[in-house]
Amino acid sequence: MAQLFPRSADMWLRVVLFLLFGGLIALFAACVVLQRSDYRTDEGWTVDQPVPFSHEHHAGVLKIDCRYCHDNVETSAVAGLPPTHTCMSCHSQLWTGAEMLAPVRQSLAQGEPLRWNRVIELPDYVFFHHGVHVNAGVGCAECHGQVDRMPLMYKAKPLTMSGCLDCHQDPAPRLRPREAVTDMNWQYEGDRRAFGEALMRKYHVRAGNLTHCYTCHR
Ligand code: HEC
Ligand code: HEC
Ligand code: HEC
Ligand code: HEC
Ligand code: HEC
């Protein structure tokens, strides 16, 4: 009987099967890597901005307090991003001709706010409030990392649900005096837990129900 398929067809079938199988393994490996990687949580990624604003320079070297630019952070849910005139309080005198600052001058001239792109954002179904944390003595660095060393802003900590819950289960050892919330170098030599527990009493931090779903999903 004449061969219906040439001998080489068998070989091709093997090659195709081999590629298919290999591809599936590669896809699976890629999923595992992505799931674990920073890609899912955006950790460590920078974002394009109208002006390459440096926290390292302004907050680190110049030591401008966070609240000078994020002035709602103690009272509101949102910290707030600085309006153009906050930049211009210095840059109308400093670096007035710099190309890098052209979008800031243009924003002032046209009365159009600068459009900063957000770096850290929670999904809409999560409730968050800055003021409550700041007043309980939770430092910016607990959630945003060493901002004073960031030439460009990036997300230093994952801020996922388990990240929030880690602290909500046991906030005491992560509290500090309110005066030090924006201090990027604050440290405590001694019994941090006992110190934190005293702060909890002082600031009337209600422990206990902080892990209830409705704290963050309402
Ligand atoms: C309290 C004063 C002050 C404020 C407010 C301020 N800056 Fe600056 N900025 C400076 C100084 C000082 C320098 C550095 C000049 C130098 O090193 O020669 C600088 C440098 C810069 C540079 C040059 C690149 C760099 O970082 O070295 C950019 C861009 C810049 N600022 C953007 C901004 C923007 C945008 C705002 C508003 C969100 C702002 N600045 C607010 C004081 C200020
Ligand atoms: C001179 C003004 C200025 C100071 C001081 C400053 N910031 Fe900012 N901050 C900005 C501007 C402008 C942006 C938006 C551009 C960017 O993301 O870099 C920003 C963005 C941020 C963001 C990211 C917000 C988002 O979701 O996009 C965080 C977090 C932040 N700042 C924290 C801090 C902390 C913590 C300090 C104090 C250690 C601080 N900032 C000091 C001007 C300032
Ligand atoms: C308990 C964690 C936590 C602490 C403490 C904290 N932040 Fe945030 N911050 C967040 C989260 C989460 C977001 C994103 C909020 C959202 O998308 O609704 C955010 C967003 C921001 C933003 C961007 C937009 C906005 O207006 O909310 C700025 C600016 C900011 N934080 C600055 C600060 C500064 C300055 C401090 C310290 C005084 C601080 N944060 C303390 C968790 C924290
Ligand atoms: C490092 C510690 C810490 C981290 C991280 C943290 N929290 Fe909190 N959070 C607290 C403390 C402490 C309180 C209690 C404040 C009080 O009772 O005075 C609180 C209170 C809250 C409240 C209650 C606000 C109200 O209505 O009174 C919400 C909502 C909240 N946190 C959301 C979040 C979310 C969402 C995250 C993660 C993105 C987060 N928190 C991460 C320490 C933390
Ligand atoms: C301290 C704040 C906080 C508390 C308490 C909390 N969540 Fe969340 N939850 C979050 C944050 C933040 C996210 C967003 C996670 C992200 O973007 O990766 C989230 C996401 C989720 C999601 C979306 C799926 C996912 O995992 O990304 C579900 C479902 C959820 N939460 C259910 C619950 C339930 C049920 C409870 C009570 C047992 C609860 N949460 C308590 C902060 C909280």
Side-chain angles (χ1 to χ4, degrees):
M1 195 177 96
Q3 244 182 336
L4 199 50
F5 296 105
R7 232 186 138 59
S8 60
D10 189 39
M11 190 195 74
W12 278 115
L13 188 67
R14 279 167 205 243
V15 169
V16 167
L17 278 178
F18 178 77
L19 287 179
L20 253 169
F21 188 63
L24 275 178
I25 290 181
L27 192 71
F28 179 72
C31 288
V32 170
V33 169
L34 270 184
Q35 176 68 20
R36 291 187 185 175
S37 78
D38 305 341
Y39 183 74
R40 205 177 69 91
T41 56
D42 300 336
E43 237 177 299
W45 293 52
T46 58
V47 167
D48 273 340
Q49 298 290 8
V51 180
F53 177 80
S54 165
H55 278 85
E56 182 179 50
H57 206 140
H58 292 86
V61 179
L62 299 172
K63 305 225 177 305
I64 310 173
D65 191 89
C66 315
R67 288 163 290 197
Y68 186 83
C69 292
H70 304 296
D71 54 0
N72 295 328
V73 79
E74 289 170 305
T75 49
S76 307
V78 294
L81 293 179
T84 302
H85 71 75
T86 305
C87 311
M88 278 313 210
S89 65
C90 292
H91 288 293
S92 58
Q93 284 118 46
L94 275 167
W95 277 45
T96 50
E99 188 56 38
M100 230 186 248
L101 284 160
V104 182
R105 294 191 295 271
Q106 195 187 348
S107 152
L108 189 76
Q110 298 179 343
E112 284 271 334
L114 284 164
R115 301 214 180 283
W116 299 110
N117 293 309
R118 288 291 301 276
V119 184
I120 297 137
E121 221 167 2
L122 293 175
D124 288 341
Y125 57 82
V126 185
F127 176 72
F128 181 75
H129 196 290
H130 272 97
V132 170
H133 289 90
V134 170
N135 287 310
V138 184
C140 315
E142 287 288 343
C143 301
H144 296 303
Q146 291 280 151
V147 169
D148 63 330
R149 295 191 200 149
M150 296 180 184
L152 291 175
M153 175 57 59
Y154 60 88
K155 195 168 166 187
K157 312 233 169 164
L159 297 176
T160 51
M161 180 157 135
S162 60
C164 310
L165 287 172
D166 270 352
C167 183
H168 276 214
Q169 264 148 16
D170 181 25
R174 292 171 67 179
L175 301 186
R176 57 173 79 192
R178 275 180 197 155
E179 306 81 73
V181 284
T182 61
D183 185 345
M184 295 285 120
N185 301 310
W186 184 85
Q187 262 168 10
Y188 185 74
E189 313 286 338
D191 187 347
R192 185 86 193 260
R193 172 170 294 281
F195 184 61
E197 274 163 6
L199 289 175
M200 283 188 69
R201 286 189 294 275
K202 188 172 170 199
Y203 298 152
H204 308 288
V205 175
R206 42 182 179 87
N209 61 358
L210 283 178
T211 52
H212 288 184
C213 313
Y214 64 73
T215 309
C216 305
H217 305 293
R218 26 179 114 179

